[in-house]
């Protein structure tokens, strides 16, 4: 039924507007902007792919996504989103059309990652609502959101998206607002389920589309096809479609086998990226702090130490010229490049 509605909405949008809009600019260039989110059940296609299929490649498709509750946008509350297209020039056109003093638009050429974020964050928000309904605290929600983001990125990268998209507005930004706001239908539905109400009754009480309910089934299908482990999404599916008790499922998630927190999804191999500058800072400081603690705390002849502009100064007045050079030539330029404000368009990259 939702698949049929999506196709019908597309037909309406082509002629009379809607959540999607076909726009023709003054120079005759056409594009199709999609503000809907989700994955088509029968085909596992993202909605932009559905649109392209229907349009038969007649014009570019641009996706608009991010933390943007309509209740707040309509009240002119400052909001930021991302426009994603395969060609950055198409996203920049949407940016120029939509951006104003209250509505900030960044650009991205990762349409896949942006759409995966938009669809899967609703599943995590449903789960976050369940933890609220069960009376869990902030710790549990923080755990759920963080690990939920990790598996969102895991699937997105496997499908061809970029991991940095999941740290931006479409990813962590939208996840925060959807998991914490009472504007969120998905969170409110989860609260009801966590309080013990049957899924069907919770959906009915919300009185509007709960995207996370449909996305949970689609995410499970995509994860199985891609061979990606998504334990939280799988748990959501079991609660929503198999009638399992949320408390039992939560206990099982907590008892999963031990593992490392960081995984390949979050490793940043691109040396030119700005995120790697932060990595450089960390790598530069690690030996600095090792030297500092070793010199000042593990040396019996030295009781006190401190940093100064000359390096590590201990009680004897000695200093580490190596640290001085390392700090001045490696760390400070990295900090400066990362913090220096620049005027640009993209959410990630050298022009952010």
């Amino acid at each position: 039924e939702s698949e049929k509605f999506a196709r019908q909405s597309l037909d309406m949008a082509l002629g009379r507007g809607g959540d999607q809009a076909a726009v023709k600019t003054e120079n005759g260039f056409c594009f199709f902007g999609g503000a809907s989110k989700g994955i088509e059940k029968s085909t596992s296609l993202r909605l932009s792919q559905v649109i392209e299929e229907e349009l038969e490649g007649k014009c570019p498709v641009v996706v608009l996504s991010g933390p943007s509750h309509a209740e707040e946008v309509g009240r002119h509350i400052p909001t930021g989103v991302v426009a994603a297209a395969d060609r950055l020039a198409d996203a920049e056109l949407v940016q120029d059309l939509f951006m104003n003093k209250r509505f900030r638009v960044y650009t991205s050429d990762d349409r896949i990652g942006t759409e995966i974020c938009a669809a899967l964050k609703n599943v995590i928000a449903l789960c976050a609502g369940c933890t609220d309904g069960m009376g869990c605290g902030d710790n549990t929600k923080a755990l759920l959101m963080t690990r939920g983001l990790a598996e969102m990125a895991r699937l997105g990268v496997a499908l061809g998206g970029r991991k940095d998209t999941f740290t931006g507005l479409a990813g962590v930004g939208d996840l925060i607002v959807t998991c914490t706001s009472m504007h969120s239908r998905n969170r409110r539905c989860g609260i009801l389920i966590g309080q013990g109400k049957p899924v069907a009754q919770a959906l009915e009480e919300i009185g509007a589309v709960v995207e996370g309910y449909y996305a949970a089934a689609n995410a499970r299908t995509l994860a199985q096809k891609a061979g990606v482990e998504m334990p939280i999404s799988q748990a959501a599916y079991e609660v929503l479609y198999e009638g399992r008790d949320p408390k039992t499922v939560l206990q099982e998630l907590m008892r999963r086998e031990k593992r490392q927190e960081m995984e390949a999804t979050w490793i940043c191999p691109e040396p030119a990226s700005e995120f790697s500058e932060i990595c450089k800072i960390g790598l530069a400081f690690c030996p600095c702090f090792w030297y500092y603690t070793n010199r000042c705390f593990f040396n019996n002849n030295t009781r006190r130490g401190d940093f100064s502009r000359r390096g590590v100064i201990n009680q004897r007045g000695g200093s580490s010229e190596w640290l001085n050079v390392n700090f001045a030539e490696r760390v400070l330029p990295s900090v400066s490049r990362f913090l220096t404000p620049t005027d640009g368009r993209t959410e990630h990259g050298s022009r952010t």
Side-chain angles (χ1 to χ4, degrees):
E1 184 177 348
S2 59
E3 174 187 336
K4 181 181 178 182
F5 175 77
R7 298 277 182 176
Q8 290 175 345
S9 297
L10 178 60
D11 292 336
M12 293 175 61
L14 288 171
R16 297 183 292 277
D19 282 345
Q20 297 90 9
V23 177
K24 186 173 182 178
T25 61
E26 292 180 359
N27 61 7
F29 177 77
C30 289
F31 72 90
F32 195 95
S36 295
K37 52 189 174 290
I39 300 166
E40 190 173 45
K41 182 178 179 180
S42 61
T43 63
S44 295
L45 293 176
R46 305 184 317 276
L47 282 189
S48 72
Q49 294 175 301
V50 173
I51 294 170
E52 285 179 326
E53 185 181 283
E54 293 292 324
L55 295 179
E56 299 177 347
K58 293 177 182 178
C59 67
V61 177
V62 183
V63 174
L64 197 65
S65 186
S68 50
H69 284 309
E71 297 89 343
E72 296 185 3
V73 175
R75 289 160 48 205
H76 295 171
I77 292 176
T79 300
V81 297
V82 59
D86 290 341
R87 291 195 321 137
L88 200 57
D90 298 334
E92 289 175 348
L93 176 59
V94 173
Q95 182 184 52
D96 292 338
L97 288 170
F98 282 89
M99 189 163 167
N100 58 52
K101 63 182 180 181
R102 294 180 298 266
F103 195 74
R104 184 165 181 81
V105 182
Y106 291 87
T107 58
S108 170
D109 58 0
D110 183 17
R111 198 175 65 180
I112 296 174
T114 300
E115 288 189 277
I116 294 299
C117 287
L120 298 190
K121 54 95 178 180
N122 292 315
V123 180
I124 307 303
L126 248 172
C127 297
C130 279
T131 64
D132 289 332
M134 290 187 291
C136 300
D138 296 335
N139 292 353
T140 309
K141 183 177 287 187
L143 169 63
L144 178 72
M145 292 171 63
T146 305
R147 296 311 303 168
L149 182 64
E151 67 180 52
M152 285 167 54
R154 199 180 302 137
L155 179 61
V157 171
L159 296 176
R162 293 202 309 269
K163 55 186 169 294
D164 57 3
T165 299
F166 293 83
T167 65
L169 286 168
V172 68
D174 214 355
L175 185 66
I176 290 171
V177 77
T178 310
C179 290
T180 61
S181 173
M182 285 304 290
H183 289 316
S184 170
R185 299 183 297 272
N186 296 282
R187 183 193 172 208
R188 295 203 312 271
C189 183
I191 291 174
L192 296 176
I193 295 172
Q195 291 173 344
K197 293 188 178 182
V199 173
Q201 182 181 344
L203 293 171
E204 184 178 353
E205 287 191 24
I206 295 301
V209 176
V210 179
E211 300 99 325
Y213 175 78
Y214 304 100
N218 295 332
R220 179 173 179 266
T221 301
L222 277 177
Q224 289 175 343
K225 288 181 179 179
V228 174
E229 183 185 26
M230 300 183 67
I232 297 175
S233 298
Q234 174 63 32
Y237 178 87
E238 293 173 2
V239 171
L240 295 172
Y241 290 91
E242 298 178 356
R244 297 199 62 197
D245 180 16
K247 294 180 180 179
T248 302
V249 172
L250 176 60
Q251 291 173 359
E252 291 177 358
L253 285 173
M254 294 298 293
R255 292 180 182 140
R256 294 179 68 240
E257 61 182 14
K258 295 180 289 186
R259 60 186 303 165
Q260 296 183 69
E261 181 186 16
M262 295 300 149
E263 48 193 277
T265 302
W266 297 110
I267 296 174
C268 186
E270 299 88 347
S273 71
E274 290 188 1
F275 181 76
S276 70
E277 297 298 326
I278 293 297
C279 297
K280 287 180 183 177
I281 296 170
L283 291 173
F285 266 114
C286 283
C288 295
F289 280 116
W290 176 86
Y291 182 92
Y292 176 70
T293 54
N294 185 63
R295 177 100 177 218
C296 301
F297 295 107
F298 297 105
N299 188 329
N300 293 330
N301 297 322
T302 303
R303 296 184 180 180
R304 188 165 52 113
D306 195 8
F307 280 117
S308 79
R309 295 179 63 184
R310 292 286 301 163
V312 177
I313 306 299
N314 60 27
Q315 196 173 26
R316 295 177 174 177
S319 67
S320 168
E321 294 300 326
W322 171 84
L323 175 59
N324 216 20
V325 172
N326 191 62
F327 188 88
E329 294 184 358
R330 294 184 56 192
V331 180
L332 292 182
S334 297
V335 174
S336 177
R337 284 196 300 272
F338 186 78
L339 296 181
T340 300
T342 57
D343 185 16
R345 292 170 173 267
T346 58
E347 184 180 11
H348 298 285
S350 59
R351 294 192 299 158
T352 303

